[in-house]
Amino acid sequence: MNPLKAVRGTRDILPPDSADWNRVEAIAREVFRVFNYQEIRTPIFEETTLFARGVGEDTDIVGKEMYTWEDRDGSSLTLRPENTASVMRAYIEHRLDQIPGVKKLYYIGPMFRRERPQKGRYRQFFQIGAEAIGSESPIVDAEVIEMVVEVLRRTGLHGFHLIVNSVGCSHCRPKFIAALKEKLEGVAGSLCTDCQRRATTNPLRVLDCKVPEDQDIINALPSILDHLCPACSEHMTTVRAHLDNRNIAYEVRPRLVRGLDYYMRTTFEITHGALGAQNSVLGGGRYDGLAESIGSKVPAPGIGFSIGEDRLVMSVQETAQQPPATVDVFLATMGDAADMHAGELAAELRSAGISVERSTDKKLKRALEVANKSGARFALIIGDDEVNSGQYALKTMATGEQVKLSRAELIARIEAN
């Protein structure tokens, strides 16, 4: 019988990589805190209708990528392929609009899409995201972008590239789409199969095509920036002014669109070269019509983003020389009395915030080998003499230096290093 393996497109996150994940998430939570965002946790599955309405019937996500099944009562349920629609559903259901001020919410968790697995892309993937709901202000847009840039900077990611655009609103975008469709009628037959379909069902997505052979044709298509109404043009100008004021570098790219129907006005994306051709680390934008599309009678303008955590961690690991995850002290014991004493000492060290691992091998040589392979900074050797005298042999694993210390001196020495 062959051993079972993880399902294709999923993977196990093992130590020491899991330490990088924890570090990235801790940084994100701290940035969200200082920007006054609070955590929301939504179910990992919802009624299929939520994503069909919110994400869009004609998107690739709904049409080809969702994990959907019929429940025992005949209802259709779907593992969440993204979380903005779920957050907005919770916002409406729990009447968060009744609370004064902009609602600033963040989430961290798994999403599910049946995509073709590739570098940094999985069928169960993780997102770090945030939503600011209840304001149409371009100042909020700029602050959201500033916040996500701060998350990336604090993780140590360098060389990322911010791209911004506007996709207009319900007044000017239909006119642009009409012009785009008219232009596509004459050239769609020369595009890839996906773009031939999108030319009819979701023409904006044609602009986001990555097929090299299509680029010359796509570059000749109309630009959304030439079709913005005065209000959208002013909104974009204000967003850019605030980004400039914060010294946040960006590129305006008229072809940048989001694959979800609820986006309008500000859209943005951040890419990084460590990820290869599919180099997007995160994307986001404004979705002023989302609440109405999923049944709300009260408008709830908002803007948000989602970071592909799998891709962010990969980029950080490939661009930064992070030290390996280590344990502070490895306790190497000799004898039953030393084992008992080591339990007390380990508890005291852990209470002081010092990470501790204990040996299960009675032979000192083997214990020190394990200490070295585990990446421990120090090995603390405890035998009968140490128990009786209260003096401990502390070995610095990197240099081999060994010193005798009292219990009080021991904690101070470890904390100092």
Side-chain angles (χ1 to χ4, degrees):
M1 182 181 295
N2 293 327
L4 294 175
K5 296 182 178 180
V7 175
R8 184 171 184 262
T10 68
R11 43 83 176 259
D12 302 303
I13 299 169
L14 306 175
D17 289 346
S18 53
D20 292 327
W21 283 70
N22 287 331
R23 175 177 165 273
V24 165
E25 290 173 10
I27 289 169
R29 290 180 188 278
E30 175 58 18
V31 173
F32 291 142
R33 185 189 69 81
V34 299
F35 277 80
N36 195 31
Y37 281 70
Q38 296 177 307
E39 186 175 15
I40 182 171
R41 301 189 185 194
T42 64
I44 65 168
F45 59 89
E46 302 265 8
E47 291 187 24
T48 302
T49 305
L50 173 66
F51 301 116
R53 288 184 187 175
V55 179
E57 293 274 10
D58 296 324
T59 60
D60 289 349
I61 293 173
V62 173
K64 300 190 296 184
E65 297 172 359
M66 295 200 313
Y67 285 96
T68 299
W69 72 95
E70 183 177 305
D71 203 6
R72 292 180 180 181
D73 62 0
S75 60
S76 180
L77 302 177
T78 295
L79 290 175
R80 61 187 185 194
E82 59 93 50
N83 209 29
T84 301
S86 295
V87 171
M88 185 58 77
R89 189 267 309 149
Y91 175 92
I92 295 167
E93 180 177 344
H94 300 288
R95 297 305 309 272
L96 298 186
D97 61 301
Q98 299 297 303
I99 303 172
V102 179
K103 308 308 162 305
K104 296 180 174 181
L105 305 169
Y106 78 87
Y107 57 85
I108 300 174
M111 312 295 156
F112 306 85
R113 297 182 194 175
R114 199 180 191 284
E115 296 185 286
R116 180 175 62 84
Q118 53 187 297
K119 184 177 182 179
R121 288 193 184 276
Y122 301 90
R123 291 176 175 178
Q124 176 179 311
F125 58 99
F126 293 81
Q127 286 187 346
I128 300 172
E131 317 291 345
I133 307 171
S135 174
E136 298 179 348
S137 172
I139 296 174
V140 175
D141 298 17
E143 186 177 81
V144 166
I145 295 173
E146 178 186 2
M147 180 172 67
V148 75
V149 166
E150 182 65 14
V151 170
L152 299 188
R153 285 174 176 169
R154 291 199 189 189
T155 63
L157 188 66
H158 302 289
F160 57 84
H161 185 58
L162 170 64
I163 305 163
V164 300
N165 190 30
S166 174
V167 292
C169 66
S170 58
H171 299 293
C172 58
R173 186 162 58 175
K175 296 177 183 178
F176 170 66
I177 292 176
L180 188 59
K181 279 186 173 181
E182 182 179 351
K183 187 70 173 179
L184 283 169
E185 286 178 0
V187 298
S190 302
L191 296 172
C192 66
T193 303
D194 281 341
C195 283
Q196 290 180 32
R197 172 177 53 82
R198 293 168 182 157
T200 302
T201 62
N202 194 354
L204 277 179
R205 285 303 312 278
V206 174
L207 301 177
D208 198 34
C209 177
K210 302 295 191 297
V211 177
E213 292 77 12
D214 290 355
Q215 300 311 301
D216 288 342
I217 297 174
I218 293 172
N219 287 333
L221 294 173
S223 168
I224 181 65
L225 298 180
D226 296 332
H227 292 76
L228 295 180
C229 64
C232 287
S233 182
E234 181 180 354
H235 189 101
M236 179 66 165
T237 298
T238 304
V239 171
R240 293 182 62 183
H242 281 272
L243 294 178
D244 291 338
N245 184 59
R246 298 297 301 125
N247 295 316
I248 297 173
Y250 61 90
E251 172 196 352
V252 177
R253 187 176 294 178
R255 282 177 47 183
L256 176 65
V257 296
R258 305 302 301 154
L260 312 180
D261 285 355
Y262 51 65
Y263 281 105
M264 61 193 308
R265 290 190 172 168
T266 306
T267 60
F268 59 93
E269 183 175 272
I270 291 182
T271 61
H272 193 269
L275 294 169
Q278 299 293 326
N279 60 356
S280 177
V281 176
L282 66 92
R286 177 162 285 282
Y287 45 82
D288 290 355
L290 174 57
E292 295 92 321
S293 75
I294 61 175
S296 175
K297 296 180 181 178
V298 180
I303 182 170
F305 64 83
S306 62
I307 301 172
E309 188 177 0
D310 305 77
R311 299 165 72 75
L312 174 57
V313 171
M314 180 183 295
S315 295
V316 170
Q317 289 174 332
E318 292 189 8
T319 60
Q321 295 298 317
Q322 298 292 339
T326 60
V327 63
D328 293 323
V329 180
F330 189 95
L331 300 183
T333 57
M334 296 176 287
D336 293 339
D339 283 339
M340 194 66 68
H341 188 78
E344 299 173 11
L345 186 56
E348 184 176 342
L349 292 171
R350 287 166 179 156
S351 295
I354 297 167
S355 61
V356 178
E357 183 59 81
R358 295 181 61 183
S359 171
T360 59
D361 200 308
K362 300 301 182 182
K363 294 187 177 181
L364 180 60
K365 183 178 180 181
R366 288 184 186 173
L368 292 178
E369 287 176 356
V370 174
N372 188 53
K373 290 179 180 179
S374 69
R377 292 187 175 91
F378 299 98
L380 188 62
I381 302 168
I382 305 175
D384 292 339
D385 290 344
E386 285 75 20
V387 173
N388 294 329
S389 68
Q391 294 285 317
Y392 302 92
L394 183 69
K395 181 176 182 178
T396 302
M397 298 304 294
T399 64
E401 177 190 8
Q402 187 167 310
V403 294
K404 283 277 189 177
L405 300 168
S406 69
R407 197 155 178 161
E409 293 171 332
L410 179 66
I411 293 177
R413 177 68 171 262
I414 294 169
E415 289 181 334
N417 289 273

